[in-house]
Amino acid sequence: MARVELDGVGKRYPNGFEAVQAFSIDIQPGEFIVLVGPSGCGKSTTLRMVAGLESITTGELRIDGRRVNEAAPKARDVAMVFQSYALYPHMTAFENMAFGLKLQKVPKADIEQRVRKVAEQLAISDLLDRKPKAMSGGQRQRIAIGRAIVRAPKVFLFDEPLSNLDAKLRLQMRVELSKLHRSLGATSLYVTHDQVEAMTLADRIVLLKGGVVQQIGAPLELYDRPDNTFVATFIGSPAMNLLTGERTAAGVTGAGFQVAFQGAGQVGQPVVLGVRPEHLRPVEAGAAVFSGTVEVVEPMGSESFVYCRHGEQLLVVRTKDAPPSPGALMHLAPEPGRLHLFDGATQGRLG
Amino acid sequence: MSAHEHTDPRPPVRWATHALLIVFTVGTLFPVLWVIKMALRPSQDFATGLNPLPTEFSLQNFADIVGDPLFGRQLLNSTVVSGVTTLVGVFLACTAAYAFSRFRFPGRRAGLAAFLVTQMFPGTMMMIPLYQLMDWLGLLDRMLGLVLVYSTTAIPFCVFMLKGYFDTIPKDLEESALMDGASQFTIFWRIILPLSRPAIAVTALFSFMTAWNEYILAATFMSDERAYTLPVRLQAFVGDYTTEWGHFAAGALIVSAPVMALFFALQKHLVGGLTSGGVKG
Ligand SMILES: Nc1ncnc2c1ncn2[C@@H]1O[C@H](COP(=O)(O)OP(=O)(O)OP(=O)(O)O)[C@@H](O)[C@H]1O
Ligand SMILES: [Mg+2]
């Protein structure tokens, strides 16, 4: 277990592209940090800088208080699980897992014992004599994870380890990773673009966009108090409804709606109003804030997503009740106290 | 014409393909069979007639060649020269190709281009300058001289061949090994080389054949009969006035035997697909 500090870490590639800018986070020993963001936002780059596979252009990286910017990967004592698994094709699963220990000159008997123990933990004991070629994707992924665990490194790095698995296997592996983390308690940095993985695995989520950190916080913190409209729409599915309008004394007024709102913002200020789909409730016509016709209904089983046309805007409503049929008129009002208000200019959170 | 044939024009195409392949196979095999026929005939005349199948079965020609007092010595020359050329060629080609494939350094492109350029000149063009060079270095009639010349001939091709193969090995594997604590040399030795067995086998075969079959340079540099390699010895059966065709044919078969043996020995390594399964996507 180790503390990992990124202090204004930035990466500029030789072609001049700024992939990551001023990334700062203090990761506590045993913490599970998930990096999320759209494709190309610099998640892998950040991970590879921590791994030592990519040089750090600016800032400082410290592991257990020691600066490791210039340290070679093997001096950092971190292990990485690659999206492609990257198992050595000419070695058996056992040899794959033992490779790192062998290089560290760990006695043979110890290697044997450690590999067997981890294999048992991951339920891959009967695969140890097989080569990667003779394994399924899920089995290879387990071996790759086992190879990282067996070295008992200070820090675990995962780069989209589950993205090559089918949906069912991914869910299963996600649960197992979660259990594994609880039993190992190792500091982990996990990259994904799957927000469900992020929400379920993370102690804290880091949301990146274009190489810039948007928000760092516990999953529900990002969900309940997004720092800006990007975070608001990225976390949560279906995404938060955003409506542009203007701050008035009583609340917010926009195209075809008026809603009461207390607190932040100055009268006359352009704002963006955010409402999560589950915080929009069908109401009587008299109490309606938004009214519109239902365009699409997506039944999910336990709940339904209803897409309702309000002027220019398509509002998403999440409801557990029997959904209206398309074409029906729907009257909606947000739950009081569940509104998000963002600055219309900066897109930053007002309240 | 049946409806089936009408809608499916493939069988005629297939027959044509087979016919063409048969013609080429016969064309390739015919001279080989002829050589075998000549080798098995006790006489030394040139075999004529269309029938390529042996009609007599005598091992006299083989016995004559193997019985030659210098044969053992010349076989040893050929073996040592070819073996050392293969070792030197493969070792240097592997290391050079890895550097060209994985590292970016000044002169990389120029180096690759230079290798290509050397391949554009026919070997005979280099004969006279090479002879002078060998003379200055005192390497005429020495096996070391041939090894040097053959290695430099084989290496450019081998480097290209191996570089192409190394390029296909995913970078993830090396990074994974780096994370496991491997040094650059360990990665090369324990990851890259084992994975490149098919390409190395081809390279080795090529280097060996380059050295084993080469005649012109060997004949130029080696004037002492005791320094001959087998192809040079073989050529001596072809005289200005008479040619011992039987001995020549038997010798040719003896010389080609090791190459064939090597080919079969390496065959299982020549099969690709060794890297499959390591990385996904
Ligand atoms: N070697 C490089 N040279 C220049 N630019 C690069 C290099 N590697 C990556 N980039 C750029 O840096 C940005 C971040 O890349 P990175 O691989 O970190 O993205 P990512 O967040 O992991 O995306 P994904 O989810 O698609 O894996 C991308 O825009 C990419 O094009
Ligand atoms: Mg990535």
Side-chain angles (χ1 to χ4, degrees):
Chain A
M1 269 200 264
R3 177 174 169 197
V4 179
E5 293 159 278
L6 281 80
D7 194 348
V9 167
K11 174 71 188 181
R12 178 201 286 268
Y13 278 110
N15 64 2
F17 184 79
E18 298 253 8
V20 177
Q21 290 168 43
F23 190 139
S24 293
I25 186 173
D26 185 353
I27 303 172
Q28 298 307 311
E31 215 179 357
F32 199 109
I33 298 291
V34 175
L35 292 175
V36 269
S39 191
C41 68
K43 306 182 293 287
S44 299
T45 304
T46 307
L47 205 68
R48 292 166 56 81
M49 283 194 286
V50 177
L53 294 173
E54 209 72 74
S55 64
I56 296 172
T57 321
T58 55
E60 190 168 82
L61 172 69
R62 289 184 293 271
I63 296 180
D64 277 340
R66 192 170 65 90
R67 176 187 163 101
V68 291
N69 283 39
E70 289 78 21
K74 73 170 174 187
R76 299 185 188 194
D77 195 13
V78 297
M80 182 154 166
V81 178
F82 292 76
Q83 180 176 10
S84 64
Y85 316 146
L87 296 176
Y88 313 123
H90 57 302
M91 298 185 193
T92 63
F94 182 93
E95 289 163 341
N96 262 283
M97 291 168 71
F99 188 65
L101 296 177
K102 250 190 223 162
L103 294 179
Q104 287 173 23
K105 305 250 184 319
V106 175
K108 234 179 164 140
D110 282 5
I111 296 182
E112 179 89 17
Q113 189 208 335
R114 278 165 76 172
V115 172
R116 301 255 171 237
K117 187 168 156 247
V118 170
E120 214 162 287
Q121 213 171 351
L122 288 167
I124 48 175
S125 299
D126 49 342
L127 298 177
L128 286 179
D129 295 329
R130 284 201 217 166
K131 292 203 174 155
K133 202 166 40 192
M135 287 186 239
S136 72
Q139 291 171 330
R140 285 179 206 168
Q141 189 55 277
R142 277 165 200 269
I143 306 293
I145 292 171
R147 181 172 62 177
I149 294 175
V150 88
R151 277 179 41 210
K154 280 185 179 166
V155 184
F156 283 103
L157 305 174
F158 300 88
D159 195 351
E160 307 203 27
L162 307 186
S163 63
N164 280 328
L165 304 178
D166 65 48
K168 200 170 153 203
L169 204 53
R170 198 181 312 170
L171 185 109
Q172 191 190 333
M173 284 301 286
R174 201 176 73 212
V175 174
E176 279 188 41
L177 274 178
S178 185
K179 271 201 296 200
L180 205 62
H181 174 65
R182 252 176 291 138
S183 71
L184 295 173
T187 313
S188 306
L189 221 69
Y190 186 105
V191 164
T192 179
H193 55 240
D194 182 321
Q195 54 152 313
V196 181
E197 270 172 43
M199 297 292 285
T200 52
L201 288 172
D203 291 324
R204 278 193 293 163
I205 293 178
V206 179
L207 184 49
L208 276 170
K209 178 194 167 195
V212 180
V213 174
Q214 303 295 306
Q215 190 170 358
I216 300 179
L220 287 181
E221 231 169 279
L222 266 69
Y223 191 83
D224 293 333
R225 283 188 64 82
D227 271 352
N228 57 41
T229 53
F230 179 79
V231 180
T233 49
F234 193 88
I235 303 284
S237 172
M240 182 188 281
N241 296 297
L242 293 180
L243 301 117
T244 51
E246 203 182 273
R247 187 80 169 94
T248 59
V252 177
T253 309
F257 74 92
Q258 255 190 328
V259 64
F261 186 85
Q262 243 105 69
Q266 283 153 6
V267 175
Q269 186 179 11
V271 291
V272 176
L273 186 74
V275 196
R276 291 234 176 253
E278 61 269 35
H279 298 144
L280 273 176
R281 287 289 149 87
V283 291
E284 298 296 317
V289 172
F290 311 103
S291 298
T293 48
V294 175
E295 286 201 348
V296 179
V297 176
E298 292 179 341
M300 291 287 145
S302 65
E303 57 184 10
S304 303
F305 305 148
V306 180
Y307 293 81
C308 187
R309 169 71 56 190
H310 172 80
E312 296 278 275
Q313 195 104 27
L314 204 54
L315 295 173
V316 194
V317 185
R318 183 184 210 142
T319 174
K320 289 200 179 342
D321 309 331
S325 39
L329 191 66
M330 212 178 176
H331 303 289
L332 298 164
E335 276 180 37
R338 296 294 205 152
L339 290 171
H340 304 265
L341 198 67
F342 304 98
D343 186 322
T346 64
Q347 308 288 311
R349 184 179 189 86
L350 293 172
Chain B
M1 195 185 277
S2 77
H4 177 251
E5 272 172 345
H6 194 75
T7 54
D8 182 11
R10 258 176 288 163
V13 174
R14 206 165 59 211
W15 283 116
T17 312
H18 281 177
L20 200 69
L21 288 175
I22 288 168
V23 168
F24 276 118
T25 311
V26 169
T28 312
L29 281 181
F30 198 80
V32 177
L33 287 172
W34 234 14
V35 169
I36 295 175
K37 181 180 183 167
M38 283 200 287
L40 290 172
R41 280 181 357 157
S43 89
Q44 297 299 325
D45 342 325
F46 194 75
T48 47
L50 265 181
N51 178 19
L53 298 175
T55 45
E56 295 156 274
F57 297 91
S58 152
L59 294 178
Q60 188 55 47
N61 286 326
F62 293 95
D64 287 350
I65 288 184
V66 177
D68 185 308
L70 279 178
F71 175 78
R73 173 70 202 221
Q74 288 156 351
L75 176 67
L76 187 71
N77 290 348
S78 264
T79 310
V80 168
V81 167
S82 308
V84 176
T85 299
T86 307
L87 287 180
V88 171
V90 168
F91 176 75
L92 290 182
C94 279
T95 43
Y98 185 67
F100 277 119
S101 170
R102 287 298 197 266
F103 304 134
R104 298 289 171 268
F105 49 89
R108 175 176 174 272
R109 290 169 64 94
L112 279 173
F115 274 161
L116 208 59
V117 168
T118 60
Q119 297 294 285
M120 292 174 187
F121 301 106
T124 37
M125 203 189 102
M126 314 288 275
M127 212 161 70
I128 292 164
L130 275 178
Y131 186 91
Q132 283 188 331
L133 214 57
M134 291 290 125
D135 197 11
W136 284 336
L137 294 172
L139 289 175
L140 291 172
D141 274 327
R142 304 273 300 276
M143 282 191 266
L144 179 62
L146 279 188
V147 166
L148 280 179
V149 172
Y150 292 162
S151 303
T152 48
T153 321
I155 283 173
F157 170 84
C158 296
V159 167
F160 264 94
M161 163 90 211
L162 284 169
K163 177 189 172 289
Y165 196 86
F166 291 161
D167 285 346
T168 67
I169 296 177
K171 227 177 142 216
D172 275 7
L173 287 183
E174 287 185 48
E175 294 186 336
S176 183
L178 213 53
M179 298 304 298
D180 267 344
S183 64
Q184 196 72 54
F185 179 77
T186 306
I187 292 173
F188 177 65
W189 191 249
R190 312 238 335 231
I191 308 288
I192 300 296
L193 287 189
L195 287 177
S196 306
R197 274 190 352 229
I200 293 173
V202 171
T203 312
L205 198 61
F206 177 82
S207 301
F208 187 84
M209 275 164 48
T210 304
W212 185 263
N213 293 335
E214 205 284 329
Y215 162 71
I216 296 174
L217 294 174
T220 313
F221 300 153
M222 307 312 222
S223 49
D224 179 359
E225 243 187 334
R226 293 175 47 80
Y228 278 6
T229 55
L230 287 181
V232 182
R233 172 71 191 99
L234 211 54
Q235 185 61 20
F237 288 124
V238 182
D240 287 341
Y241 305 108
T242 56
T243 296
E244 303 162 34
W245 285 111
H247 287 145
F248 185 73
L253 288 179
I254 291 176
V255 171
S256 52
V259 175
M260 284 196 277
L262 197 62
F263 186 83
F264 282 115
L266 290 178
Q267 200 181 26
K268 83 171 184 335
H269 300 296
L270 296 175
V271 187
L274 220 72
T275 52
S276 68
V279 297
K280 171 147 188 173

